[in-house]
Short mmCIF file of all heavy atoms in Angstrom, two decimals:
data_model
loop_
_atom_site.label_atom_id
_atom_site.label_comp_id
_atom_site.label_asym_id
_atom_site.label_seq_id
_atom_site.Cartn_x
_atom_site.Cartn_y
_atom_site.Cartn_z
N MET A 102 -94.54 99.62 -206.47
CA MET A 102 -95.98 99.32 -206.39
C MET A 102 -96.68 100.52 -205.72
O MET A 102 -96.17 101.16 -204.83
CB MET A 102 -96.26 98.04 -205.60
CG MET A 102 -97.75 97.78 -205.41
SD MET A 102 -98.07 96.27 -204.57
CE MET A 102 -98.14 95.20 -205.97
N SER A 103 -97.77 100.92 -206.22
CA SER A 103 -98.54 102.07 -205.68
C SER A 103 -99.14 101.80 -204.31
O SER A 103 -99.35 100.63 -203.94
CB SER A 103 -99.66 102.42 -206.69
OG SER A 103 -100.42 103.44 -206.22
N LEU A 104 -99.47 102.87 -203.62
CA LEU A 104 -100.10 102.76 -202.34
C LEU A 104 -101.66 102.78 -202.46
O LEU A 104 -102.38 102.57 -201.52
CB LEU A 104 -99.66 103.87 -201.37
CG LEU A 104 -98.21 103.87 -201.00
CD1 LEU A 104 -97.90 105.12 -200.16
CD2 LEU A 104 -97.81 102.61 -200.28
N GLU A 105 -102.15 103.05 -203.72
CA GLU A 105 -103.56 103.11 -203.99
C GLU A 105 -103.92 102.16 -205.14
O GLU A 105 -103.11 101.96 -206.02
CB GLU A 105 -104.00 104.52 -204.30
CG GLU A 105 -104.13 105.48 -203.18
CD GLU A 105 -104.75 106.80 -203.71
OE1 GLU A 105 -106.00 106.86 -203.78
OE2 GLU A 105 -103.97 107.66 -203.95
N LEU A 106 -105.12 101.64 -205.05
CA LEU A 106 -105.57 100.74 -206.11
C LEU A 106 -107.07 100.97 -206.32
O LEU A 106 -107.85 100.86 -205.31
CB LEU A 106 -105.32 99.28 -205.75
CG LEU A 106 -105.92 98.21 -206.64
CD1 LEU A 106 -105.14 98.18 -207.93
CD2 LEU A 106 -105.89 96.86 -205.96
N GLU A 107 -107.50 101.22 -207.55
CA GLU A 107 -108.98 101.35 -207.78
C GLU A 107 -109.51 99.95 -208.00
O GLU A 107 -109.01 99.19 -208.73
CB GLU A 107 -109.24 102.21 -209.03
CG GLU A 107 -110.74 102.45 -209.15
CD GLU A 107 -111.02 103.38 -210.32
OE1 GLU A 107 -110.13 104.02 -210.89
OE2 GLU A 107 -112.26 103.49 -210.65
N HIS A 108 -110.55 99.60 -207.19
CA HIS A 108 -111.07 98.27 -207.19
C HIS A 108 -112.59 98.36 -206.73
O HIS A 108 -112.96 99.23 -206.01
CB HIS A 108 -110.33 97.44 -206.15
CG HIS A 108 -110.52 95.97 -206.31
ND1 HIS A 108 -111.54 95.35 -205.67
CD2 HIS A 108 -109.80 94.99 -206.91
CE1 HIS A 108 -111.44 94.02 -205.92
NE2 HIS A 108 -110.39 93.80 -206.70
N TYR A 109 -113.39 97.40 -207.18
CA TYR A 109 -114.78 97.36 -206.86
C TYR A 109 -114.92 96.91 -205.35
O TYR A 109 -114.32 95.89 -205.01
CB TYR A 109 -115.57 96.46 -207.74
CG TYR A 109 -117.09 96.40 -207.44
CD1 TYR A 109 -117.86 97.48 -207.82
CD2 TYR A 109 -117.60 95.35 -206.71
CE1 TYR A 109 -119.18 97.49 -207.48
CE2 TYR A 109 -118.93 95.36 -206.39
CZ TYR A 109 -119.79 96.40 -206.79
OH TYR A 109 -121.15 96.41 -206.50
N CYS A 110 -115.68 97.71 -204.62
CA CYS A 110 -115.97 97.30 -203.21
C CYS A 110 -117.38 96.76 -203.10
O CYS A 110 -118.36 97.49 -203.32
CB CYS A 110 -115.82 98.54 -202.26
SG CYS A 110 -116.15 98.18 -200.52
N PRO A 111 -117.57 95.52 -202.72
CA PRO A 111 -118.88 94.91 -202.63
C PRO A 111 -119.73 95.46 -201.48
O PRO A 111 -120.89 95.42 -201.50
CB PRO A 111 -118.60 93.41 -202.51
CG PRO A 111 -117.22 93.29 -201.97
CD PRO A 111 -116.48 94.52 -202.53
N GLU A 112 -119.00 96.01 -200.45
CA GLU A 112 -119.80 96.57 -199.36
C GLU A 112 -120.35 97.92 -199.69
O GLU A 112 -121.52 98.23 -199.39
CB GLU A 112 -118.86 96.72 -198.09
CG GLU A 112 -118.27 95.45 -197.56
CD GLU A 112 -119.39 94.56 -196.98
OE1 GLU A 112 -120.26 95.09 -196.28
OE2 GLU A 112 -119.35 93.32 -197.16
N CYS A 113 -119.58 98.77 -200.41
CA CYS A 113 -120.06 100.10 -200.82
C CYS A 113 -120.85 100.05 -202.11
O CYS A 113 -121.52 100.98 -202.49
CB CYS A 113 -118.84 101.05 -201.02
SG CYS A 113 -117.86 101.28 -199.54
N GLU A 114 -120.69 98.94 -202.85
CA GLU A 114 -121.29 98.66 -204.17
C GLU A 114 -120.94 99.74 -205.23
O GLU A 114 -121.73 100.17 -206.00
CB GLU A 114 -122.86 98.61 -203.96
CG GLU A 114 -123.25 97.47 -203.11
CD GLU A 114 -124.75 97.31 -203.07
OE1 GLU A 114 -125.48 98.28 -203.28
OE2 GLU A 114 -125.21 96.23 -202.77
N GLU A 115 -119.62 100.10 -205.21
CA GLU A 115 -119.10 100.98 -206.24
C GLU A 115 -117.59 100.88 -206.19
O GLU A 115 -116.99 100.24 -205.28
CB GLU A 115 -119.52 102.46 -206.00
CG GLU A 115 -119.11 103.09 -204.75
CD GLU A 115 -119.60 104.46 -204.55
OE1 GLU A 115 -118.96 105.37 -205.07
OE2 GLU A 115 -120.67 104.65 -203.95
N TYR A 116 -116.93 101.50 -207.21
CA TYR A 116 -115.46 101.48 -207.28
C TYR A 116 -114.96 102.51 -206.28
O TYR A 116 -115.43 103.59 -206.19
CB TYR A 116 -114.97 101.78 -208.69
CG TYR A 116 -115.02 100.58 -209.59
CD1 TYR A 116 -116.18 100.20 -210.23
CD2 TYR A 116 -113.96 99.69 -209.62
CE1 TYR A 116 -116.26 99.12 -211.05
CE2 TYR A 116 -113.99 98.56 -210.43
CZ TYR A 116 -115.15 98.26 -211.12
OH TYR A 116 -115.21 97.18 -211.91
N ARG A 117 -113.88 102.07 -205.60
CA ARG A 117 -113.24 102.96 -204.54
C ARG A 117 -111.70 102.87 -204.74
O ARG A 117 -111.19 101.89 -205.33
CB ARG A 117 -113.53 102.44 -203.15
CG ARG A 117 -115.00 102.51 -202.75
CD ARG A 117 -115.30 103.86 -202.24
NE ARG A 117 -116.63 103.86 -201.71
CZ ARG A 117 -117.40 104.95 -201.46
NH1 ARG A 117 -116.87 106.12 -201.73
NH2 ARG A 117 -118.56 104.81 -200.99
N ASN A 118 -111.03 103.84 -204.20
CA ASN A 118 -109.58 103.79 -204.12
C ASN A 118 -109.17 103.06 -202.80
O ASN A 118 -109.36 103.60 -201.73
CB ASN A 118 -108.92 105.18 -204.15
CG ASN A 118 -108.94 105.75 -205.56
OD1 ASN A 118 -108.80 105.02 -206.52
ND2 ASN A 118 -109.09 107.04 -205.63
N PHE A 119 -108.71 101.86 -202.91
CA PHE A 119 -108.25 101.06 -201.83
C PHE A 119 -106.84 101.47 -201.41
O PHE A 119 -106.04 101.84 -202.31
CB PHE A 119 -108.29 99.55 -202.18
CG PHE A 119 -109.63 98.92 -202.08
CD1 PHE A 119 -110.63 99.28 -202.96
CD2 PHE A 119 -109.90 97.99 -201.12
CE1 PHE A 119 -111.85 98.73 -202.91
CE2 PHE A 119 -111.17 97.38 -201.06
CZ PHE A 119 -112.12 97.71 -201.94
N TRP A 120 -106.53 101.34 -200.15
CA TRP A 120 -105.21 101.66 -199.65
C TRP A 120 -104.42 100.38 -199.30
O TRP A 120 -104.97 99.46 -198.73
CB TRP A 120 -105.26 102.55 -198.38
CG TRP A 120 -105.65 103.97 -198.74
CD1 TRP A 120 -106.93 104.48 -198.76
CD2 TRP A 120 -104.79 104.99 -199.15
NE1 TRP A 120 -106.88 105.79 -199.17
CE2 TRP A 120 -105.56 106.10 -199.44
CE3 TRP A 120 -103.38 104.99 -199.32
CZ2 TRP A 120 -105.00 107.32 -199.82
CZ3 TRP A 120 -102.89 106.24 -199.73
CH2 TRP A 120 -103.66 107.36 -199.97
N LYS A 121 -103.18 100.36 -199.66
CA LYS A 121 -102.26 99.28 -199.30
C LYS A 121 -101.95 99.41 -197.82
O LYS A 121 -101.48 100.45 -197.40
CB LYS A 121 -100.99 99.34 -200.13
CG LYS A 121 -100.00 98.26 -199.90
CD LYS A 121 -98.89 98.44 -200.91
CE LYS A 121 -97.61 98.05 -200.44
NZ LYS A 121 -96.56 98.22 -201.48
N VAL A 122 -102.32 98.34 -197.00
CA VAL A 122 -102.06 98.43 -195.57
C VAL A 122 -100.99 97.52 -195.13
O VAL A 122 -100.50 97.71 -193.95
CB VAL A 122 -103.39 98.19 -194.76
CG1 VAL A 122 -104.38 99.27 -195.06
CG2 VAL A 122 -103.99 96.81 -195.18
N ALA A 123 -100.62 96.54 -195.91
CA ALA A 123 -99.54 95.59 -195.49
C ALA A 123 -98.93 94.91 -196.74
O ALA A 123 -99.61 94.76 -197.71
CB ALA A 123 -100.05 94.60 -194.56
N SER A 124 -97.65 94.57 -196.63
CA SER A 124 -97.01 93.82 -197.71
C SER A 124 -95.92 92.98 -197.08
O SER A 124 -95.22 93.43 -196.21
CB SER A 124 -96.43 94.84 -198.75
OG SER A 124 -95.73 94.12 -199.72
N THR A 125 -95.84 91.71 -197.57
CA THR A 125 -94.82 90.81 -197.05
C THR A 125 -94.46 89.81 -198.10
O THR A 125 -95.21 89.51 -199.01
CB THR A 125 -95.31 90.07 -195.79
OG1 THR A 125 -94.21 89.40 -195.19
CG2 THR A 125 -96.43 89.16 -196.04
N THR A 126 -93.20 89.36 -198.07
CA THR A 126 -92.76 88.39 -199.02
C THR A 126 -92.86 86.93 -198.34
O THR A 126 -92.42 86.78 -197.22
CB THR A 126 -91.32 88.62 -199.48
OG1 THR A 126 -91.30 89.98 -200.03
CG2 THR A 126 -90.84 87.64 -200.44
N MET A 127 -93.44 86.07 -199.13
CA MET A 127 -93.60 84.72 -198.61
C MET A 127 -93.26 83.71 -199.72
O MET A 127 -92.90 84.10 -200.85
CB MET A 127 -94.99 84.48 -198.10
CG MET A 127 -96.04 84.89 -199.10
SD MET A 127 -97.70 84.90 -198.38
CE MET A 127 -98.14 83.23 -198.35
N HIS A 128 -93.30 82.38 -199.47
CA HIS A 128 -92.88 81.44 -200.44
C HIS A 128 -93.71 81.46 -201.72
O HIS A 128 -93.24 81.05 -202.76
CB HIS A 128 -92.89 80.04 -199.78
CG HIS A 128 -94.24 79.56 -199.56
ND1 HIS A 128 -94.94 79.90 -198.38
CD2 HIS A 128 -95.05 78.64 -200.14
CE1 HIS A 128 -96.12 79.34 -198.34
NE2 HIS A 128 -96.19 78.52 -199.45
N LEU A 129 -94.94 81.96 -201.69
CA LEU A 129 -95.77 82.09 -202.92
C LEU A 129 -95.54 83.34 -203.71
O LEU A 129 -95.94 83.44 -204.86
CB LEU A 129 -97.28 82.07 -202.52
CG LEU A 129 -97.75 80.78 -201.91
CD1 LEU A 129 -99.16 80.97 -201.41
CD2 LEU A 129 -97.66 79.63 -202.86
N GLY A 130 -94.88 84.30 -203.09
CA GLY A 130 -94.60 85.62 -203.75
C GLY A 130 -94.86 86.72 -202.78
O GLY A 130 -94.90 86.52 -201.57
N THR A 131 -95.11 87.86 -203.30
CA THR A 131 -95.37 89.10 -202.38
C THR A 131 -96.91 89.18 -202.15
O THR A 131 -97.73 89.21 -203.05
CB THR A 131 -94.97 90.41 -203.12
OG1 THR A 131 -93.55 90.26 -203.45
CG2 THR A 131 -95.21 91.57 -202.24
N LYS A 132 -97.21 89.15 -200.85
CA LYS A 132 -98.65 89.21 -200.37
C LYS A 132 -98.88 90.64 -200.01
O LYS A 132 -98.19 91.26 -199.24
CB LYS A 132 -98.76 88.35 -199.13
CG LYS A 132 -100.11 88.35 -198.46
CD LYS A 132 -100.11 87.43 -197.30
CE LYS A 132 -101.29 87.63 -196.41
NZ LYS A 132 -101.23 86.83 -195.17
N VAL A 133 -99.96 91.21 -200.60
CA VAL A 133 -100.36 92.64 -200.34
C VAL A 133 -101.79 92.65 -199.85
O VAL A 133 -102.68 92.08 -200.45
CB VAL A 133 -100.20 93.48 -201.54
CG1 VAL A 133 -100.57 94.93 -201.31
CG2 VAL A 133 -98.78 93.44 -202.14
N LYS A 134 -102.05 93.40 -198.75
CA LYS A 134 -103.41 93.56 -198.23
C LYS A 134 -103.87 94.96 -198.57
O LYS A 134 -103.17 95.92 -198.40
CB LYS A 134 -103.42 93.39 -196.70
CG LYS A 134 -103.09 92.05 -196.24
CD LYS A 134 -103.18 91.92 -194.70
CE LYS A 134 -102.84 90.51 -194.25
NZ LYS A 134 -102.97 90.42 -192.78
N TRP A 135 -105.16 95.02 -199.02
CA TRP A 135 -105.75 96.27 -199.44
C TRP A 135 -107.06 96.40 -198.68
O TRP A 135 -107.80 95.47 -198.43
CB TRP A 135 -106.12 96.21 -200.94
CG TRP A 135 -104.98 96.05 -201.84
CD1 TRP A 135 -104.47 94.83 -202.32
CD2 TRP A 135 -104.07 97.08 -202.38
NE1 TRP A 135 -103.33 95.15 -203.09
CE2 TRP A 135 -103.12 96.44 -203.15
CE3 TRP A 135 -104.10 98.46 -202.29
CZ2 TRP A 135 -102.15 97.19 -203.83
CZ3 TRP A 135 -103.14 99.17 -202.93
CH2 TRP A 135 -102.16 98.56 -203.71
N HIS A 136 -107.30 97.70 -198.26
CA HIS A 136 -108.52 98.04 -197.54
C HIS A 136 -109.25 99.24 -198.09
O HIS A 136 -108.64 100.19 -198.50
CB HIS A 136 -108.20 98.33 -196.05
CG HIS A 136 -108.08 97.08 -195.26
ND1 HIS A 136 -108.92 96.69 -194.25
CD2 HIS A 136 -107.09 96.12 -195.30
CE1 HIS A 136 -108.54 95.56 -193.68
NE2 HIS A 136 -107.42 95.20 -194.34
N CYS A 137 -110.59 99.18 -198.06
CA CYS A 137 -111.47 100.33 -198.48
C CYS A 137 -111.48 101.31 -197.29
O CYS A 137 -111.81 100.92 -196.21
CB CYS A 137 -112.81 99.84 -198.83
SG CYS A 137 -113.98 101.18 -199.19
N PRO A 138 -111.17 102.59 -197.55
CA PRO A 138 -111.17 103.55 -196.45
C PRO A 138 -112.60 103.94 -195.98
O PRO A 138 -112.75 104.46 -194.85
CB PRO A 138 -110.41 104.76 -197.04
CG PRO A 138 -110.66 104.67 -198.48
CD PRO A 138 -110.71 103.17 -198.80
N GLU A 139 -113.58 103.59 -196.77
CA GLU A 139 -114.97 103.96 -196.43
C GLU A 139 -115.58 102.93 -195.45
O GLU A 139 -116.31 103.32 -194.54
CB GLU A 139 -115.80 104.10 -197.65
CG GLU A 139 -115.34 105.23 -198.57
CD GLU A 139 -115.40 106.61 -198.00
OE1 GLU A 139 -116.37 106.90 -197.26
OE2 GLU A 139 -114.48 107.38 -198.25
N CYS A 140 -115.32 101.65 -195.72
CA CYS A 140 -116.08 100.62 -194.94
C CYS A 140 -115.15 99.61 -194.31
O CYS A 140 -115.61 98.71 -193.66
CB CYS A 140 -117.09 99.93 -195.85
SG CYS A 140 -116.29 98.89 -197.14
N GLU A 141 -113.84 99.70 -194.60
CA GLU A 141 -112.86 98.78 -194.08
C GLU A 141 -112.93 97.38 -194.66
O GLU A 141 -112.36 96.39 -194.14
CB GLU A 141 -112.94 98.66 -192.50
CG GLU A 141 -112.45 99.94 -191.84
CD GLU A 141 -111.05 100.41 -192.24
OE1 GLU A 141 -110.16 99.55 -192.25
OE2 GLU A 141 -110.88 101.64 -192.46
N TYR A 142 -113.69 97.18 -195.77
CA TYR A 142 -113.70 95.92 -196.46
C TYR A 142 -112.22 95.72 -196.99
O TYR A 142 -111.56 96.68 -197.47
CB TYR A 142 -114.59 95.97 -197.71
CG TYR A 142 -114.48 94.76 -198.63
CD1 TYR A 142 -114.99 93.55 -198.30
CD2 TYR A 142 -113.73 94.94 -199.81
CE1 TYR A 142 -114.81 92.47 -199.16
CE2 TYR A 142 -113.53 93.81 -200.65
CZ TYR A 142 -114.13 92.59 -200.35
OH TYR A 142 -113.95 91.52 -201.16
N GLY A 143 -111.69 94.48 -196.92
CA GLY A 143 -110.33 94.29 -197.36
C GLY A 143 -110.18 92.97 -198.22
O GLY A 143 -111.03 92.11 -198.12
N PHE A 144 -109.12 92.92 -198.93
CA PHE A 144 -108.83 91.79 -199.72
C PHE A 144 -107.30 91.58 -199.81
O PHE A 144 -106.55 92.55 -199.51
CB PHE A 144 -109.52 91.74 -201.07
CG PHE A 144 -109.00 92.77 -202.03
CD1 PHE A 144 -108.00 92.48 -202.93
CD2 PHE A 144 -109.54 94.04 -202.08
CE1 PHE A 144 -107.52 93.44 -203.84
CE2 PHE A 144 -109.12 95.00 -202.89
CZ PHE A 144 -108.08 94.70 -203.85
N VAL A 145 -106.85 90.45 -200.22
CA VAL A 145 -105.41 90.15 -200.35
C VAL A 145 -105.06 89.68 -201.79
O VAL A 145 -105.88 88.95 -202.40
CB VAL A 145 -105.10 88.95 -199.37
CG1 VAL A 145 -103.60 88.51 -199.55
CG2 VAL A 145 -105.31 89.35 -197.95
N ARG A 146 -103.96 90.16 -202.28
CA ARG A 146 -103.43 89.71 -203.51
C ARG A 146 -102.00 89.15 -203.31
O ARG A 146 -101.24 89.66 -202.55
CB ARG A 146 -103.32 90.91 -204.52
CG ARG A 146 -104.57 91.19 -205.21
CD ARG A 146 -104.34 92.21 -206.33
NE ARG A 146 -105.57 92.46 -207.01
CZ ARG A 146 -105.75 93.45 -207.89
NH1 ARG A 146 -104.71 94.29 -208.09
NH2 ARG A 146 -106.83 93.58 -208.47
N ILE A 147 -101.78 88.00 -203.97
CA ILE A 147 -100.39 87.40 -203.89
C ILE A 147 -99.84 87.32 -205.35
O ILE A 147 -100.37 86.53 -206.19
CB ILE A 147 -100.43 86.03 -203.27
CG1 ILE A 147 -101.03 86.10 -201.88
CG2 ILE A 147 -99.05 85.39 -203.23
CD1 ILE A 147 -101.28 84.70 -201.18
N ASP A 148 -98.94 88.21 -205.63
CA ASP A 148 -98.26 88.27 -206.93
C ASP A 148 -99.32 88.31 -208.11
O ASP A 148 -99.01 87.79 -209.19
CB ASP A 148 -97.27 87.12 -207.13
CG ASP A 148 -95.95 87.51 -206.55
OD1 ASP A 148 -95.69 88.61 -206.18
OD2 ASP A 148 -95.06 86.61 -206.56
N GLY A 149 -100.47 88.80 -207.93
CA GLY A 149 -101.44 88.86 -208.96
C GLY A 149 -102.09 87.58 -209.39
O GLY A 149 -102.98 87.50 -210.15
N GLU A 150 -101.62 86.49 -208.78
CA GLU A 150 -102.15 85.12 -209.06
C GLU A 150 -103.34 84.81 -208.21
O GLU A 150 -104.29 84.19 -208.63
CB GLU A 150 -101.03 84.13 -208.88
CG GLU A 150 -99.85 84.27 -209.82
CD GLU A 150 -100.20 84.11 -211.30
OE1 GLU A 150 -101.03 83.20 -211.64
OE2 GLU A 150 -99.70 84.92 -212.10
N VAL A 151 -103.25 85.13 -206.95
CA VAL A 151 -104.36 84.86 -205.96
C VAL A 151 -104.90 86.21 -205.61
O VAL A 151 -104.19 87.09 -205.21
CB VAL A 151 -103.77 84.19 -204.71
CG1 VAL A 151 -104.86 83.93 -203.72
CG2 VAL A 151 -103.09 82.88 -205.05
N ASP A 152 -106.25 86.35 -205.71
CA ASP A 152 -106.94 87.65 -205.36
C ASP A 152 -108.25 87.25 -204.62
O ASP A 152 -109.20 86.75 -205.25
CB ASP A 152 -107.23 88.35 -206.67
CG ASP A 152 -107.76 89.81 -206.42
OD1 ASP A 152 -108.22 90.02 -205.31
OD2 ASP A 152 -107.75 90.56 -207.35
N THR A 153 -108.29 87.55 -203.34
CA THR A 153 -109.45 87.23 -202.55
C THR A 153 -110.54 88.23 -202.75
O THR A 153 -111.66 88.05 -202.21
CB THR A 153 -109.15 87.16 -201.05
OG1 THR A 153 -108.65 88.40 -200.61
CG2 THR A 153 -108.11 86.08 -200.75
N GLY A 154 -110.34 89.28 -203.51
CA GLY A 154 -111.29 90.31 -203.83
C GLY A 154 -112.13 90.06 -205.02
O GLY A 154 -113.00 90.84 -205.38
N GLN A 155 -111.87 88.96 -205.77
CA GLN A 155 -112.66 88.64 -206.97
C GLN A 155 -113.77 87.74 -206.65
O GLN A 155 -113.65 86.79 -205.83
CB GLN A 155 -111.76 87.98 -208.01
CG GLN A 155 -110.76 88.97 -208.54
CD GLN A 155 -109.96 88.38 -209.74
OE1 GLN A 155 -110.12 87.21 -210.14
NE2 GLN A 155 -109.15 89.19 -210.35
N ALA A 156 -114.94 87.95 -207.38
CA ALA A 156 -116.13 87.12 -207.15
C ALA A 156 -115.80 85.67 -207.77
O ALA A 156 -115.06 85.55 -208.73
CB ALA A 156 -117.29 87.69 -207.88
N ALA A 157 -116.38 84.71 -207.13
CA ALA A 157 -116.18 83.34 -207.59
C ALA A 157 -116.95 83.03 -208.83
O ALA A 157 -117.95 83.62 -209.19
CB ALA A 157 -116.62 82.35 -206.52
#
């Protein structure tokens, strides 16, 4: 898995390269935390199934 991910940042209101800041394995799968280096907005993905960075 890469250390960078291009993703839309709602705080900056544009696409940014997010940095992987943490990763752990849990009963749901691999949990990865991503942060925007410009504003520190962050989101979590768990095995691509759960993504707290997506709009509802």
Side-chain angles (χ1 to χ4, degrees):
M102 179 176 270
S103 176
L104 297 176
E105 282 186 83
L106 172 73
E107 186 174 350
H108 195 274
Y109 182 76
C110 179
E112 297 292 320
C113 298
E114 297 183 338
E115 62 182 274
Y116 280 88
R117 298 274 189 198
N118 283 327
F119 280 66
W120 285 94
K121 181 173 148 180
V122 294
S124 178
T125 188
T126 302
M127 51 191 283
H128 68 283
L129 295 173
T131 301
K132 175 181 167 184
V133 181
K134 292 183 180 181
W135 299 92
H136 279 249
C137 175
E139 299 296 321
C140 69
E141 293 303 316
Y142 170 80
F144 67 94
V145 174
R146 281 191 175 166
I147 302 173
D148 272 354
E150 299 297 319
V151 178
D152 188 343
T153 62
Q155 290 187 356

